[in-house]
Amino acid sequence: MKYDKEFKKAMYKSMYELRVFEATVQRMYNEGFIPNSAHLYAGEEAIGSGICAALRPDDVMLPSHRGHGQILAKGCDMNRMMAELFGKKDGYCKGKGGSMHLAVADHNVLGSIGIVGSNMSLAVGAGMACKKNGTGQVAVCFFGDGAANRGTFHESMNLASIQHLPIIYVLENNFYAISEDSRDMTNIEKFSVRAQGYGVPGYTVDGNNPWEVYEYAKAAVERARAGEGPTLLECVTWRHYGHYEGDPDARQWIYRNKEEHEKWMKRDPIPNTRKELLEDGTATEEELKAIENEVEAAVAAAVEFAHNSPWPDVSETYTDMYAD
Ligand SMILES: Cc1ncc(C[n+]2csc(CCOP(=O)(O)OP(=O)(O)O)c2C)c(N)n1
Ligand SMILES: [Mg+2]
């Protein structure tokens, strides 16, 4: 076996956490407890978990707007994340960040972001800081196929390349930017070829296979830590739900195709990895059930924590808004 059993079980646990967290966020949103927009990560877990398995705790993350899974996979606290989504005082940003400005200072998560593609510009600054620190830190920037058509993608990658910045660009290609099919929005088959234009290595990776994502991430991280510069990883995947929670396409197939969706659902990374772990003798059914029960209890406890957390006081409305 290529990986030891503990590593494989930890990867499954991480992906399962992301899945249950998002299913719960969906329920909490629909019950009216999350006063915000929610772009769910379900289906894309192998990317967040695979990339983060290759990171150090002090590496810097620039999540996208679809960031819950990315942030959770970095090891952030589920209770404080859920409280933040509820807008409560014990949230990571005292309830003022919500889903799309969820920053976690003590894990170097610079914040999920509502302006699509803007985190690629910020990644250059983060990459410069990592390089200046001289401790081998890297910056990981997550964004989608839609964001890859913004100017910031090109400017960021060019500057990162000439300055040999330690940045991993993780393009989550789920084929859609809201309702726009990326196959109608570009004339290239693979976004990864764009990296060549900047002298950056670019790879297209199976984003539903955590081991493949991890291998490419590990190589990209090693390259970045060695001072050799950025890498672009295009991770091909599929989101299970609509663009945002409430998107009518999730039930009515307005812009996505039901047949294509069903084809992708057979490639769902969670049941497939579960099956693999059972078949290759990594874990028994009982062991996997125990992991799943533990995760489900932790997510339920996070909901409890969020419900019990107080609302922020009105006097705090303008505190923590700007750096001193
Ligand atoms: C600069 C900017 N333009 C448009 C939007 C509206 N918008 C929000 S998400 C989104 C699509 C993003 O698609 P993609 O980058 O593929 O990410 P995905 O949602 O598929 O993860 C758009 C156009 C925005 N938030 N910011
Ligand atoms: Mg997309």
Side-chain angles (χ1 to χ4, degrees), residues 157-289:
M157 201 160 295
N158 190 53
L159 193 48
S161 178
I162 57 167
Q163 297 210 1
H164 304 290
L165 299 181
I167 302 175
I168 325 301
Y169 292 94
V170 182
L171 194 172
E172 298 178 331
N173 182 4
N174 59 15
F175 297 102
Y176 283 87
I178 310 185
S179 53
E180 296 299 334
D181 189 326
S182 67
R183 291 160 288 197
D184 298 331
M185 305 301 284
T186 61
N187 271 335
I188 47 170
E189 225 172 87
K190 293 180 175 178
F191 281 95
S192 58
V193 301
R194 288 188 179 169
Q196 282 174 27
Y198 304 103
V200 171
Y203 305 98
T204 297
V205 178
D206 178 356
N208 281 24
N209 180 335
W211 320 118
E212 187 170 324
V213 173
Y214 170 69
E215 285 301 325
Y216 277 90
K218 197 158 67 104
V221 166
E222 273 166 19
R223 183 181 136 79
R225 292 207 205 287
E228 291 166 24
T231 300
L232 170 66
L233 301 179
E234 176 196 14
C235 302
V236 181
T237 188
W238 189 256
R239 61 169 152 80
H240 285 188
Y241 302 129
H243 169 69
Y244 62 99
E245 199 36 36
D247 181 346
D249 187 65
R251 285 169 200 85
Q252 297 168 29
W253 307 110
I254 297 163
Y255 59 82
R256 289 203 303 180
N257 173 303
K258 188 162 186 265
E259 285 70 49
E260 188 174 24
H261 176 72
E262 281 164 1
K263 217 167 74 201
W264 273 98
M265 290 307 281
K266 292 199 179 81
R267 303 202 45 232
D268 183 340
I270 310 277
N272 287 344
T273 304
R274 190 183 203 285
K275 188 162 172 271
E276 180 189 329
L277 264 56
L278 285 173
E279 285 176 358
D280 71 5
T282 298
T284 61
E285 177 64 34
E286 292 66 40
E287 283 177 293
L288 291 182
K289 262 271 132 276

Side-chain angles (χ1 to χ4, degrees), residues 39 44 64-66 114-117 143-148 150 172 174 176-178 239 243:
H39 303 84
E44 310 190 9
S64 67
H65 58 287
R66 200 174 292 291
I115 306 300
V116 166
F143 54 98
D145 42 287
R150 284 211 58 204
E172 298 178 331
N174 59 15
Y176 283 87
I178 310 185
R239 61 169 152 80
H243 169 69

Side-chain angles (χ1 to χ4, degrees), residues 33-70:
F33 294 112
I34 296 182
N36 207 303
S37 191
H39 303 84
L40 301 178
Y41 202 60
E44 310 190 9
E45 294 90 348
I47 307 175
S49 299
I51 296 284
C52 289
L55 298 181
R56 287 191 334 216
D58 66 335
D59 288 329
V60 180
M61 176 185 282
L62 298 106
S64 67
H65 58 287
R66 200 174 292 291
H68 309 163
Q70 301 150 7

